[in-house]
Amino acid sequence: QVQLVESGGGLVQAGGSLRLSCEASGRTSSTYNMGWFRQAPGKEREFVAAISWRTYYADSVKGRFTISRDNAKNTVYLQMNSLKPEDTAVYYCAATRTLGITIASMSYDYWGQGTQVTVSS
């Protein structure tokens, strides 16, 4: 069992930055591949970024967001720069035992509770 706790969300103006953190705990949590997803009101949950031995990003955030991990701290980060109002959503981190990169939410085994990101125009 792996527990995930996100933090770092908040309200920011367009063009600003936020860094989300996801602390993992539980058995062998550092061996899981990790992803970030988001869900805006009235929309389906969508893939944002993932990290295994490499990283992968949704086109909508490529060049603006950076995913990273610190295995010593069992923490995954999502650095979000040049934020836009359309980035407003609840952001979730997730862990998967799937090898390599996967963007399908159904492939992820554990989820955090989410953290709200609101970008004002």
Side-chain angles (χ1 to χ4, degrees):
Q1 189 77 4
V2 175
Q3 293 80 42
L4 304 173
V5 179
E6 302 100 332
S7 61
L11 174 64
V12 64
Q13 288 188 331
S17 299
L18 282 174
R19 189 177 80 157
L20 305 182
S21 299
C22 174
E23 184 173 357
S25 60
R27 188 172 182 177
T28 62
S29 58
S30 63
T31 65
Y32 286 73
N33 292 323
M34 303 296 293
W36 285 95
F37 290 76
R38 66 186 182 186
Q39 188 167 19
K43 295 187 177 181
E44 293 187 354
R45 189 171 298 188
E46 66 174 3
F47 170 79
V48 175
I51 186 167
S52 60
W53 57 273
R54 64 182 181 95
T55 58
Y56 186 79
Y57 300 92
D59 287 343
S60 59
V61 306
K62 199 173 297 182
R64 300 188 297 122
F65 290 11
T66 302
I67 188 172
S68 62
R69 71 189 300 168
D70 184 338
N71 286 336
K73 296 182 178 180
N74 285 333
T75 300
V76 176
Y77 303 98
L78 186 67
Q79 177 67 44
M80 306 186 294
N81 299 328
S82 302
L83 283 161
K84 305 174 181 180
E86 51 264 43
D87 294 318
T88 295
V90 177
Y91 283 70
Y92 299 89
C93 72
T96 176
R97 289 167 289 190
T98 301
L99 294 178
I101 294 291
T102 178
I103 68 172
S105 60
M106 66 179 65
S107 297
Y108 286 81
D109 305 292
Y110 302 101
W111 292 82
Q113 82 289 350
T115 185
Q116 176 71 47
V117 172
T118 303
V119 184
S120 63
S121 57

